[in-house]
Amino acid sequence: EANAVIIPQCSHIPPGRRGCLMETTVSPNKEELVIRPLHSGDIYTSFQFRTLWETDFTRENKVSHYRLFPKSLGQVISKFSVRELHISFTQGYWRTMQWGQPYLPSPPGAELWVWFQDSLTDVDGTWKELTNVLSGIFCASLNFIDSTNTVQPSASFKPLGIGNVTDHQIVCTENLTPWKKLLPCGSKAGLAVLLKSEKLFHSSFHSQAVHIRPVCKDDQCKTTSWELRQTLNVVFDLHNSGQGKNEWSLFKMFSRTLTEACPVASSSKIYIDITDNSQGEQFELSPATPLLSQAVVLGDRRTFSVYDLTQQITFGTICNVLKLPVTYSAHAGDMLRPLLHAERYVAGYGLQTGEIHTLMYNNHPYRSFPVLLLDSVPWYLRLYIHTLTVTSKGKDNKPSYIHYQPSKDRVRPHLLEMLVQLPPNSVTEVTLQFERALLKWTEYTPDPNHGFYVGSSVISSLVPSIVAMDTNNSRERPLFSSFFPSKEESSYFVRVYTEPLLVNLPTPDFSMPYNVICLTCTVVAVGYGSLYNLLTRSFQIEEPSPGLAKRIANIIRKMRGVPPL
Amino acid sequence: MYFLLVYMYIKNHVYMFPDLLGCHGKCRRYLFCCFQDRAGQFFSSGHTNNWAVLVCTSRFWFNYRHVANTLSVYRSVKRLGIPDSHIVLMLADDMACNHRNPKPATVFSHKNMELNVYGDDVEVDYRGYEVTVENFLRILTGRLPPSTPRSKRLLSDDRSNILIYLTGHGGNGFLKFQDSEEISNVELADAFEQMWQKRRYNELLFIIDTCQGASMYERFYSPNLMALASSQVGEDSLSHQPDLAIGVHLMDRYTFYLLEFLEDIHPASKTNMNDLFKVCPKSQCVSTPGHRTDLFLRDPGSVLITDFFGSVRKVELTMETINLTDPIDAESGELQKEMHTYADQLPVSEIIHQKPKQKDWHPPDGFILGLWTLILLVFFQTYGVKHLKHIF
């Protein structure tokens, strides 16, 4: 039932150009939007904006020419000798079992991973300054990142760097506004016009991220250029936002329509995932488009309808309204089950001890694969590593590599990395007991009864793939399929984040100092004070003052020299 | 001769250029007088830039109205011209994307959801736990750690007019920050005095919307301060109206009527401070708004609203020439180009065979030394020194 046509890339190049896009030229600025209807009835939309910048920081000359690359980020990279930077802000939790794997995974809250150049000597000081600068750029509370919640993993994130998976952060329009201002066209033209905060935040999942890294310019990879990717992933729940009918359009989702592509973008495309709609039985697109594309993404070959916004014919008479009467039939449950899935929760009772359980599911029927689990637990949960157990299918499963760095109170958090082999079709459970610490009273937040957050665990793995992955990393590919470079054809790299945990620490009564002072002062004033007065006061008898007549008589008697009455 | 004719013509026909230069009153007929008057007005206020520090000090969902108060002043100030780089906005909690908000990414100031003061273009500089008394005082006095980004600093100079707006829960002589600490009126007055001594402001307008707000400006003693409060000592400031769909009170009365007043102001309007003092009389506000102008050098009637709420860009012309240097030529030296490759994301064999990192050797600390000394002492005492040769 082959029904897809490979996109004829050469046909859109005007005559006279050098050749097809598959060769060495890499477009400097690309934007794309991928829309994927999910089996649970939600719509997953993913925006990606990519800007390339040809410059070399390893030489000493100061860079001062910025065209499409935002100056604020360029100055950050050059000043702090950054080799790679990934920052993401997410609100909501990605439900892997219902929605599948995301194109770009991100944990709830804020996450910042940085790789520095080898020439940098003072990493701690630079890290502190970098987090402050980024907190100013993105209007986020990243300045709470310091050594107490930063880790340097030894194996998990390659290349080696410093990272921080922070606790809970609320993501709102004030984070979106500076993010939009970094785009070359701002929010005035192209796909960024659709980014209206009222609709974007009324969703089940919202994640925006900025990734800066060096990429190969050509096949031989002798020179590199800087790539800035800005991604925005949103999952809309159309039932929740009052849609009711099984029909959606760009206007209904974003309350905006598209009228033109960004003028500085060399490529501006919308991809709609129609793999489940091969014969057109589930939905239909309007206006219809003849362009189709196939891509291997997340171990699966998917088919996409493509709308190219740089072509004028896409826009038709009505401004690009896509209407889809979606009817999900009963057999929609046979979506590709995600091969790797993880959950985490806190067990136990009371405010002294507890247990962290991490469950990792391997849903492949006959292949096992290794996963690397990275756990960064704050210092106020004191982990007892001797109680660490890893069991699969009821039997003990010894990890082939464990790296544990114990915490130091108020200096650094726990770091636990383990390489575990997951047997096929099984659940692996990792349990760890902990004890809660009592903080100093100034270390409590203004709302301590809310609890304290423990960041998500990160599970990285090379999952076997059904479809052969494309290992030629310099070819021109849609952005969503080219983020993690593949080294081999039989597996692809997947990163899964678990839920963050909310743990209650024993909270003192903050009104206690006030009450103690009041009580003590009352006791001192009333008890001791009255006793002191009784012992030290001397009493004198005082005549009451005489009436007016007597006073006048006394004055006359004084004048006469006679003693008073 | 010709010039004289032109001059006479203009002088007699100046009534034909109505409001061309904004001249009004008796000055219209005399063109030069009018110019002087405009020029005088242009330079009378003495400030060259405007800053605003807007603070909401309350946390939790039921204090929605304090965030709405601050955001409505933010919106007015931005609309009248002050850019985001000159506004320091501090919100102690997030109401727009709070999970209890039935309409995410919005903060409304009026019931029936007429006006969304959060908007689409908002930059909050201090959010959540960062809104503390220490940070507020550090912003005012300028004593911030060197790594603080520019957007979080108040970079004012001696020709800046600053607007400071505080809202939250307060009492007689204090304002509560986030349920855990307070700022007193003495601290605030001292902070303003530090600002005056460091020449960090030209004129300062202080507006506070809390219960017993007038107590916060009682202790000011620095020059060029004007203060407004929503209620006198002993009175409570009341909230305006609840919205049944959102479930909380949307705004406080004083700021509601202040917003209504500011919506009529545009960058060129001539309304002055005396009109601002009349905002929200007792019949509308239930509490009595107060103001203090004795420390202010100019007459409030000559101070325009836009001197504080709007943004003035004054230009000074200079006739100096500056020579630009030649551009630096990029070195074209050929560095040896090594092959780059993408890093392997999960190199399993490398990880398993990784050698543990060599830990640095630290000399034993006092505890270990003391313990060993104790052990040796006990040993020698028990066995005596002369038996050592039998043991070793």
Side-chain angles (χ1 to χ4, degrees), chain A residues 143 170 172 174 197 487, chain B residues 97 118 120 127 130 342 354:
Chain A
N143 44 343
I170 300 205
C172 206
E174 64 243 24
S197 58
K487 289 275 181 174
Chain B
C97 289
Y118 196 60
D120 215 14
R127 2 165 20 216
E130 294 169 331
Y342 286 106
Q354 219 177 19

Side-chain angles (χ1 to χ4, degrees), chain A residues 92-106:
Chain A
Y93 176 63
W94 183 268
R95 299 189 163 82
T96 316
M97 290 310 278
Q98 290 162 313
W99 297 342
Q101 293 282 2
Y103 296 128
L104 284 161
S106 53

